[in-house]
Amino acid sequence: MSSSEGYTLLYEGDDQASSVVSPNNEQCEALCRKRCKKARHYVAWRTTCYIVAGLLSTLLVISFSVVIYSRMDPYLSLHRGRSWSPAIDVLDYELVQIDRLGTYRHSTYAGPPSPEQDEAWDKLVRPSFFRASREEMERAGESTDDAVKIADGGYVTELGVYHELHCIRHLRFYLYRDHYYPNLTSSQQEYLYVHLDHCLESLRKVVMCHGNSALYSFKWHGDNEPRAAVKSNARSVCVKWDSIESWSYSRTLPYNYPLRWSGSPDGLA
């Protein structure tokens, strides 16, 4: 008989047949229900796996983000709430190992006065002043009511770092006052005391503001001298000076540029 009548061959080519009865409707429905139940269980299991995997992935991303943010937060906080500056977008940074061992060595800017040293300092502070527009002043949060105006428009301004360099330079002038101030009068001496005290206080605030956290250690200054000298191999994140200097030179305002002054009859200082 053919297989359509309910018989199947045990093996292909076998001349013996097995009488396999075709299943009835109830058996088919039971088989379908069983298979459907298994399918539903599989779908539910797969859906649960997807949900758990999604939750774990989300938790992992959140945890990773928290770790990254917590590490970056000290750096982000440096700029959060910081006043705007026209030079803020041009600054570049680098890791620098500052020479802490050169305590008693003279650089281009240190040591007894010399023509080369004076020339280096002159170049360093030359682009101190620049012209800022009213829009730049307002964006930086600076009042224009009492600001010094330039005769042909704008306001006299400088970056904070140049004020700090100015203070360092004038403290150095006073250290070598016999060379730079050979004939000081009592009134000039009094003015310098007030000015340099202001400089010292400004520098104190800046140093404490930046709060250098590099680790310093000490070594003996000499074999026969029981004095300790500071030393450090620490690296610091520093502004690339070229990025400040290039911008400053591009906007520098010459010294003795005509200014407007309310106390002058023609309005010029």
Side-chain angles (χ1 to χ4, degrees):
M1 293 183 182
S2 66
S3 61
S4 63
E5 294 178 348
Y7 296 93
T8 58
L9 296 178
L10 295 177
Y11 299 100
E12 188 176 354
D14 197 337
D15 58 353
Q16 296 183 3
S18 173
S19 57
V20 179
V21 181
S22 299
N24 57 31
N25 291 337
E26 291 181 358
Q27 290 175 325
C28 286
E29 290 176 1
L31 182 62
C32 287
R33 285 196 297 270
K34 185 177 182 180
R35 289 180 177 176
C36 288
K37 186 177 181 181
K38 287 183 178 180
R40 286 195 298 271
H41 286 169
Y42 172 74
V43 171
W45 175 82
R46 186 175 63 180
T47 303
T48 302
C49 288
Y50 286 158
I51 292 173
V52 172
L55 290 174
L56 289 175
S57 299
T58 302
L59 183 62
L60 182 62
V61 170
I62 292 174
S63 300
F64 184 75
S65 300
V66 168
V67 171
I68 294 298
Y69 184 81
S70 64
R71 290 179 179 271
M72 292 180 62
D73 187 64
Y75 301 99
L76 295 175
S77 64
L78 292 176
H79 298 281
R80 191 184 300 124
R82 183 180 182 182
S83 295
W84 179 84
S85 165
I88 199 167
D89 292 330
V90 304
L91 299 183
D92 291 328
Y93 296 85
E94 61 183 343
L95 277 174
V96 176
Q97 184 173 342
I98 300 175
D99 180 15
R100 310 292 183 188
L101 300 180
T103 310
Y104 299 100
R105 294 199 297 265
H106 297 151
S107 73
T108 306
Y109 306 100
S114 69
E116 294 77 18
Q117 189 186 79
D118 289 339
E119 182 180 354
W121 269 102
D122 287 342
K123 181 180 182 300
L124 185 64
V125 301
R126 190 172 299 145
S128 291
F129 304 111
F130 67 95
R131 184 198 310 266
S133 65
R134 175 179 286 272
E135 292 74 20
E136 288 176 324
M137 292 281 285
E138 291 174 350
R139 190 174 177 186
E142 290 296 316
S143 171
T144 58
D145 295 339
D146 56 352
V148 176
K149 297 180 180 179
I150 301 172
D152 55 358
Y155 301 85
V156 180
T157 54
E158 68 176 347
L159 299 182
V161 65
Y162 282 103
H163 176 260
E164 290 140 23
L165 285 173
H166 155 84
C167 280
I168 292 171
R169 190 185 193 192
H170 279 266
L171 286 166
R172 185 176 167 277
F173 282 163
Y174 195 75
L175 178 64
Y176 296 102
R177 56 187 174 276
D178 290 341
H179 176 82
Y180 291 107
Y181 306 128
N183 300 305
L184 271 178
T185 64
S186 58
S187 60
Q188 290 171 332
Q189 178 89 2
E190 184 177 352
Y191 166 77
L192 282 175
Y193 280 150
V194 174
H195 183 201
L196 297 182
D197 193 58
H198 150 78
C199 279
L200 286 170
E201 181 63 4
S202 295
L203 293 173
R204 179 192 68 80
K205 290 179 179 179
V206 170
V207 168
M208 293 179 68
C209 171
H210 290 288
N212 185 2
S213 60
L215 181 67
Y216 287 11
S217 57
F218 299 86
K219 71 171 189 177
W220 294 116
H221 181 59
D223 294 336
N224 300 319
E225 189 170 358
R227 283 194 300 169
V230 68
K231 69 183 185 73
S232 178
N233 291 319
R235 294 187 300 170
S236 300
V237 177
C238 299
V239 171
K240 287 186 178 179
W241 183 248
D242 287 348
S243 65
I244 287 185
E245 191 170 61
S246 298
W247 184 91
S248 299
Y249 265 105
S250 72
R251 295 194 51 173
T252 186
L253 192 68
Y255 288 101
N256 299 320
Y257 201 82
L259 306 175
R260 291 196 173 277
W261 181 44
S262 57
S264 174
D266 57 5
L268 301 179

